[in-house]
Amino acid sequence: MALNRIIDREIDANNPRTEQRHLASGSMSLRTAWSLATVFLAMLLIGAGALNQVALMMAWLPVLAFVVYPYTKRFTWGCHFWLGLCLGLAPAGAWVAIAADVHGWGAITGQLTSGTEYLWLPTILPISLGVALWIAAFDINYARMDVKSDIENKIHSFPAKFGETATTRTTIQLTLLWFACFAFSDPVSSIWFLGASALMASLNIYVVLSRERLKNFQSTLFQASMFTGWALLIALAIGLFL
């Protein structure tokens, strides 16, 4: 988030919705923002190093992904999918944090003492893809707020490029896809996780289809997306302990 604010400070200043953000409004200096970003980077590296060597050696990947993200909106409406990729790295990172303790680099490469076996294929890969699609679906709707500003400032977004109808249709398709990814994954508690995934996919689709009837669509959308993560986590926990 610090990198996003630093790189996009001029874009934020030209957008009425974001012009009051700290860097855009001048209430925070660029030097302070870079100092915070440096502290956060140090926290990431120290935390990764405390987990295992593989986590530390792979810490560059999420950093690079988030450095690239703010620039994507300057060139392509695919920026929403890149953001999804960034967040999709989270479950993959959790996998490395745990599995690499036992398997080392084999947790990623599949080269285990018992032979070649990609342990992440049936579980973490579909979950990471599901998270990526879930976040992309949310973000293309979040960008509805900035269509006018994006067009004026030549910022690329899906709604600005394709319009409202295509945004709604694509959101539903992406939501069905992320549900399919979660449904095909093989978590500890498949029934509970499947049920929570179906319920939250339905809720997210309902919110998008009800956009014109909602008093505050963006707030409701944000809450539904945030609750999706909690619902999936709770479902996993219930399945694990029952």
Side-chain angles (χ1 to χ4, degrees):
M1 291 299 293
L3 289 172
N4 195 30
R5 294 293 182 267
I6 291 170
I7 296 170
D8 279 354
R9 61 189 184 280
E10 294 182 1
I11 293 176
D12 289 343
N14 292 325
N15 186 337
R17 182 178 67 84
T18 59
E19 62 183 1
Q20 293 304 313
R21 287 177 175 173
H22 296 82
L23 288 176
S25 65
S27 60
M28 176 185 287
S29 69
L30 187 59
R31 180 177 180 180
T32 298
W34 275 116
S35 297
L36 288 171
T38 302
V39 170
F40 300 150
L41 176 61
M43 292 171 64
L44 169 65
L45 296 177
I46 292 172
L51 291 168
N52 54 62
Q53 183 184 24
V54 178
L56 177 60
M57 296 298 291
M58 292 301 297
W60 62 270
L61 182 57
V63 174
L64 177 62
F66 277 101
V67 168
V68 171
Y69 163 66
Y71 294 104
T72 58
K73 67 187 71 173
R74 292 160 167 81
F75 304 104
T76 174
W77 52 264
C79 54
H80 311 288
F81 296 92
W82 188 269
L83 179 62
L85 171 66
C86 291
L87 274 295
L89 290 173
W95 166 261
V96 169
I98 298 172
D101 276 346
V102 178
H103 304 293
W105 283 102
I108 299 176
T109 64
Q111 301 303 312
L112 309 178
T113 55
S114 58
T116 301
E117 183 180 2
Y118 296 102
L119 301 175
W120 45 264
L121 187 59
T123 52
I124 298 305
L125 179 60
I127 289 177
S128 291
L129 288 175
V131 171
L133 295 169
W134 159 30
I135 298 303
F138 164 78
D139 198 54
I140 66 173
N141 281 276
Y142 197 74
R144 290 182 195 256
M145 293 187 291
D146 300 325
V147 170
K148 182 179 179 180
S149 176
D150 287 345
I151 293 175
E152 291 177 351
N153 294 289
K154 298 181 180 180
I155 300 301
H156 297 265
S157 74
F158 192 96
K161 175 69 174 180
F162 298 105
E164 296 285 348
T165 301
T167 298
T168 299
R169 182 173 62 246
T170 302
T171 299
I172 295 173
Q173 294 168 342
L174 290 174
T175 302
L176 293 174
L177 284 173
W178 68 248
F179 165 68
C181 287
F182 291 153
F184 282 115
S185 66
D186 185 27
V188 175
S189 48
S190 57
I191 295 178
W192 287 95
F193 191 71
L194 177 63
S197 300
L199 177 63
M200 298 317 301
S202 300
L203 176 62
N204 280 271
I205 290 175
Y206 173 78
V207 169
V208 172
L209 292 177
S210 304
R211 183 177 64 87
E212 296 182 356
R213 300 195 300 271
L214 295 172
K215 292 182 178 179
N216 193 331
F217 167 66
Q218 295 295 344
S219 177
T220 304
L221 174 72
F222 185 86
Q223 291 170 0
S225 188
M226 178 179 64
F227 185 63
T228 296
W230 284 107
L232 296 177
L233 177 62
I234 291 171
L236 285 171
I238 291 175
L240 181 64
F241 290 107
L242 286 184

